[in-house]
Amino acid sequence: MVTLAEVAQHAGVSASTVSYVLSGKRSISTTTRQRVEQSIRELGYHPNAGARALASSRSNIIALMVPLRTDMYVPVMMEIAIAVATTARTHGYDVLLLTGEEGPDAVRRVTGSGLADAMILMDVELDDERLPLLRGTDQPSVLIGLPADTSGLTCVDLDFRATGALCVEHLAMLGHRDIAVIGEAPAVYERHTGFAERTLDGLRSRAQELGVRLLHRPCEGGYDAMAVTLARILDERPGTTGFVVQNESAVEPLLALLRQQGRAVPEDVSVVAICPDQVATQASVRLTSVAIPAQEMGRNAVERLVAKLDGRGSDEVVLITPELTVRASTGPVPA
Amino acid sequence: MVTLAEVAQHAGVSASTVSYVLSGKRSISTTTRQRVEQSIRELGYHPNAGARALASSRSNIIALMVPLRTDMYVPVMMEIAIAVATTARTHGYDVLLLTGEEGPDAVRRVTGSGLADAMILMDVELDDERLPLLRGTDQPSVLIGLPADTSGLTCVDLDFRATGALCVEHLAMLGHRDIAVIGEAPAVYERHTGFAERTLDGLRSRAQELGVRLLHRPCEGGYDAMAVTLARILDERPGTTGFVVQNESAVEPLLALLRQQGRAVPEDVSVVAICPDQVATQASVRLTSVAIPAQEMGRNAVERLVAKLDGRGSDEVVLITPELTVRASTGPVPA
DNA sequence: AGTCGATGTCGAAGCGCTTCGACAGCCTAT
DNA sequence: ATAGGCTGTCGAAGCGCTTCGACATCGACT
């Protein structure tokens, strides 16, 4: 293992000079800098991470806590995680992957040991038990998702309320007066992750404003559950012509069932999905959808975090404005 | 930040004694140990990761390189990553998430800086440019996937050749003589990730042994591509009654198209999928499938790696035996 | 000519931990 | 009774880096 001292000797300067070349914290003459850089290259020097962390009390590592659960939104989570990792690298940080398994202990461990300089939490619940810990430490953190009380926290999330409103608006504009909402699995609402409720809020209040009737039904993914749910909906509101789906694994079953029942999309019924673009474009009908901007969320979270680490930036809630893309699954209500 | 020295003072012992209590590397009397442990608890002490890494030249971190690409097999990747993270924790390791973006440089950086003690590489290509680096370092590593030359490397993967054979056997046993294979996207074959070719090998050789005709067609995911591919297949081999699908995003389109054409599954045609169990059970027809054991692969990789780190274990290739689960998508060939 | 502020470099003091050798005390075997 | 071996504890030396204050050099002012 090549050390700083060896580089220094090779370049004929002192260790501190090499350190300053590396960090740029003091000015170094061009000739010296070049000589040092040359030595670094020749010797294949890489600073030792542990020593650096010890001396500077900075590990240059960001911890990312992902949910343990792999039953929901996996591609979204993965996309966020990858966006976090790549964005972090552009700022000189590496990413430590923590699972939700350890719960609050993981937060204690990481902050206590100086393993990471900061953390990003995904899948935050409304009343998450990790929040008090985050508030009680001076280690910067960013949440992806919105808890009930955001005071003293920085959060990044899609504006799900606006998302709900946007979906209703689009359908209402096309003349739909009876709209059914296929929601997440009941467990999601019970877990109080918040985003589902916020979407529903947005849907409901905009529906009321526009005089549109709304029926909301949570739904497990898969064909059987969707079949039951759809039957119930059409039984209660036979005049339903618009659907809003917020459950990736219910999208395809819904389309299949509608097809099977002879209801054409978009001629007879319209479907708006809230899902990643990839799902929307790969479905059997190209879906009008509001995208879940996974990449943007990940990138944004890292950027806020880095800002905090640099002493810039402050606590705030960033709600990403939803965008609805019209594709082939929505059209005017049938005459 | 509480330090070792503070704990030592609080417990009335020397710093080294506390260290030995923590590591267990020397015997400590019960009374002393308890006193120290008590102090640790009272003060809420967490050893500083950087100092530890510096002094011991062990970071207790495992690096995991995931592919940057998020177009294929995302849930599988995520499941592996999570299995790696949780298994690593049970052995006292944390996981550093690296994306494929940096390529070989990431390997240099991590081994050079002592950031991680070992690494796991996913999505290894047949002739991966990172392999020489791994062979040239004494840092342990495990690959998930199989390169062309495995000498000096430890690899964990599903036995895709046996997987292919298993699929053919199952269909042949049910009387199918004309089998079509819906493969991965052409890009996957071009990238030489190996698993697709190995599956094909297994399929072909077993088909030949059993006197079954095989037609292989790569296929992009999605409905349009699948429609084209299916039409071609049925055009060339109208008597095809069995399908093997190795492309998650082609599964549902295939089922929909077959349904649409009035071909009942499993009465008229049988479908075997190579996919995670979750996909198989959530499809519109519960699919007979060979599971991709993501969890097991992740767990296994970590366990081999830890064994190497402990000086046990050696280079070897672990091929996980595939298991075919019969569900509702395969049946005897129609009379 | 003498002073002052830049500018560039160096030495040394840690950062918090692990680990080695030393050693005091005690038990067992001669 | 004494040598020898355990057991439990300690002190001190680093691990490789950052960073602070010191200092020499030099050009630009008065």
Side-chain angles (χ1 to χ4, degrees):
Chain A
M1 213 76 309
V2 188
T3 69
L4 227 213
E6 294 173 299
V7 174
Q9 190 173 11
H10 186 273
V13 298
S14 75
S16 47
T17 301
V18 178
S19 179
Y20 287 123
V21 167
L22 249 27
S23 69
K25 293 192 179 175
R26 286 207 181 168
S27 52
I28 298 287
S29 70
T30 317
T31 60
T32 306
R33 188 203 328 291
Q34 284 174 348
R35 204 142 35 84
V36 170
E37 281 166 352
Q38 174 69 15
S39 297
I40 289 177
R41 246 174 286 118
E42 277 180 32
L43 301 176
Y45 168 72
H46 285 271
N48 180 84
R52 204 163 230 203
L54 176 58
S56 66
S57 331
R58 291 288 232 102
S59 63
N60 286 301
I61 288 180
I62 292 174
L64 174 69
M65 265 184 99
V66 302
L68 188 59
R69 224 170 311 111
T70 50
D71 59 348
M72 190 188 74
Y73 270 8
V74 177
V76 177
M77 297 286 166
M78 189 75 177
E79 213 176 324
I80 293 178
I82 290 188
V84 165
T86 53
T87 310
R89 281 303 307 145
T90 69
H91 292 279
Y93 287 89
D94 272 296
V95 170
L96 198 73
L97 184 68
L98 304 175
T99 65
E101 194 183 35
E102 283 180 280
D105 286 346
V107 177
R108 279 193 208 93
R109 195 165 59 84
V110 168
T111 56
S113 67
L115 233 188
D117 296 332
M119 52 192 318
I120 296 178
L121 305 197
M122 292 172 65
D123 198 48
V124 180
E125 300 185 9
L126 280 183
D127 186 22
D128 205 292
E129 39 177 354
R130 296 167 298 188
L131 302 186
L133 289 171
L134 295 182
R135 290 204 178 88
T137 177
D138 51 352
Q139 193 172 65
S141 59
V142 171
L143 314 186
I144 296 183
L146 227 52
D149 175 11
T150 61
S151 63
L153 300 173
T154 300
C155 311
V156 173
D157 205 358
L158 176 62
D159 188 340
F160 280 99
R161 187 167 284 116
T163 300
L166 204 53
C167 293
V168 169
E169 271 164 36
H170 177 67
L171 289 174
M173 205 187 57
L174 290 167
H176 299 270
R177 315 317 301 170
D178 255 309
I179 296 177
V181 179
I182 316 285
E184 293 283 356
V188 174
Y189 294 92
E190 281 153 24
R191 207 180 338 115
H192 297 301
T193 312
F195 77 97
E197 285 94 330
R198 281 185 286 135
T199 310
L200 200 52
D201 255 29
L203 286 161
R204 285 210 176 115
S205 57
R206 200 82 184 100
Q208 189 159 23
E209 287 168 25
L210 298 173
V212 170
R213 295 218 300 168
L214 207 67
L215 194 67
H216 170 250
R217 292 286 174 266
C219 180
E220 303 277 354
Y223 283 81
D224 301 343
M226 189 64 241
V228 173
T229 305
L230 181 60
R232 268 184 56 199
I233 291 172
L234 293 177
D235 200 35
E236 292 179 65
R237 296 267 173 90
T240 300
T241 57
F243 288 88
V244 176
V245 192
Q246 179 173 214
N247 182 340
E248 289 176 17
S249 53
V251 165
E252 205 48 59
L254 174 64
L255 294 174
L257 286 163
L258 290 172
R259 214 176 291 130
Q260 205 173 299
Q261 300 183 1
R263 294 172 201 262
V265 173
E267 290 78 4
D268 300 326
V269 300
S270 289
V271 176
V272 179
I274 301 168
C275 66
D277 272 338
Q278 212 197 338
V279 172
T281 55
Q282 287 225 348
S284 52
V285 179
R286 297 185 63 253
L287 293 167
T288 294
S289 71
V290 176
I292 297 184
Q295 296 225 33
E296 187 177 347
M297 285 159 71
R299 203 184 327 119
N300 210 311
V302 171
E303 266 149 19
R304 311 246 143 217
L305 203 53
V306 170
K308 279 182 154 190
L309 284 164
D310 292 352
R312 322 182 323 266
S314 60
D315 293 338
E316 59 185 314
V317 174
V318 180
L319 290 182
I320 298 173
T321 305
E323 288 183 29
L324 185 141
T325 305
V326 179
R327 298 201 183 82
S329 68
T330 53
V333 69
Chain B
M1 213 75 311
V2 189
T3 69
L4 227 215
E6 293 174 300
V7 174
Q9 190 173 9
H10 185 272
V13 297
S14 76
S16 46
T17 301
V18 177
S19 178
Y20 286 124
V21 167
L22 250 29
S23 68
K25 293 193 178 175
R26 286 206 181 170
S27 53
I28 298 287
S29 69
T30 317
T31 60
T32 306
R33 185 197 338 285
Q34 285 173 348
R35 205 144 33 87
V36 171
E37 282 167 352
Q38 174 68 16
S39 297
I40 289 177
R41 245 173 288 118
E42 278 180 34
L43 301 178
Y45 168 70
H46 284 271
N48 180 82
R52 206 164 229 202
L54 176 57
S56 67
S57 335
R58 292 286 233 104
S59 64
N60 286 301
I61 288 180
I62 292 173
L64 174 69
M65 265 185 98
V66 303
L68 188 60
R69 225 169 308 111
T70 49
D71 60 348
M72 190 188 73
Y73 270 9
V74 177
V76 177
M77 295 288 165
M78 189 72 177
E79 214 178 322
I80 293 178
I82 290 189
V84 165
T86 55
T87 310
R89 281 304 306 145
T90 70
H91 292 280
Y93 287 89
D94 272 296
V95 170
L96 198 74
L97 185 68
L98 304 175
T99 66
E101 194 183 33
E102 282 180 282
D105 285 346
V107 177
R108 277 191 209 95
R109 195 164 59 84
V110 168
T111 57
S113 67
L115 233 188
D117 297 331
M119 51 192 321
I120 295 178
L121 304 198
M122 293 172 65
D123 199 47
V124 179
E125 300 184 9
L126 280 183
D127 186 23
D128 204 293
E129 40 177 355
R130 295 166 300 187
L131 301 186
L133 288 171
L134 295 182
R135 290 204 179 87
T137 175
D138 51 354
Q139 193 173 66
S141 58
V142 171
L143 314 186
I144 295 183
L146 228 51
D149 175 10
T150 61
S151 64
L153 300 172
T154 300
C155 311
V156 172
D157 205 358
L158 177 62
D159 187 339
F160 280 98
R161 188 167 284 114
T163 300
L166 204 53
C167 293
V168 169
E169 271 164 36
H170 176 68
L171 290 173
M173 203 187 59
L174 290 167
H176 298 271
R177 316 315 302 168
D178 255 309
I179 297 177
V181 179
I182 316 287
E184 294 282 357
V188 174
Y189 294 90
E190 281 154 23
R191 208 181 336 118
H192 297 301
T193 312
F195 77 97
E197 285 93 331
R198 282 185 286 135
T199 310
L200 201 52
D201 256 28
L203 286 160
R204 285 208 176 117
S205 56
R206 200 80 185 100
Q208 188 158 22
E209 286 168 27
L210 297 173
V212 170
R213 296 219 298 170
L214 208 66
L215 194 67
H216 170 251
R217 291 288 172 267
C219 181
E220 302 277 354
Y223 282 80
D224 300 343
M226 188 63 242
V228 173
T229 306
L230 182 60
R232 266 185 56 199
I233 290 172
L234 292 177
D235 202 34
E236 292 180 63
R237 296 270 173 89
T240 299
T241 58
F243 289 88
V244 175
V245 192
Q246 180 174 215
N247 182 339
E248 289 178 18
S249 54
V251 167
E252 205 49 59
L254 173 64
L255 294 174
L257 287 162
L258 290 173
R259 214 176 292 131
Q260 205 173 299
Q261 301 183 358
R263 295 173 200 261
V265 173
E267 289 78 3
D268 300 327
V269 299
S270 288
V271 176
V272 179
I274 300 169
C275 66
D277 272 338
Q278 212 197 336
V279 173
T281 56
Q282 286 225 350
S284 53
V285 179
R286 297 185 64 250
L287 294 167
T288 294
S289 70
V290 176
I292 297 182
Q295 295 225 33
E296 188 178 348
M297 285 158 73
R299 203 184 325 120
N300 210 312
V302 171
E303 265 148 20
R304 310 242 146 226
L305 203 53
V306 171
K308 280 181 155 191
L309 284 165
D310 292 352
R312 322 181 321 266
S314 61
D315 292 339
E316 61 186 313
V317 174
V318 180
L319 290 182
I320 298 174
T321 305
E323 287 183 29
L324 185 142
T325 305
V326 179
R327 298 202 183 81
S329 68
T330 52
V333 70

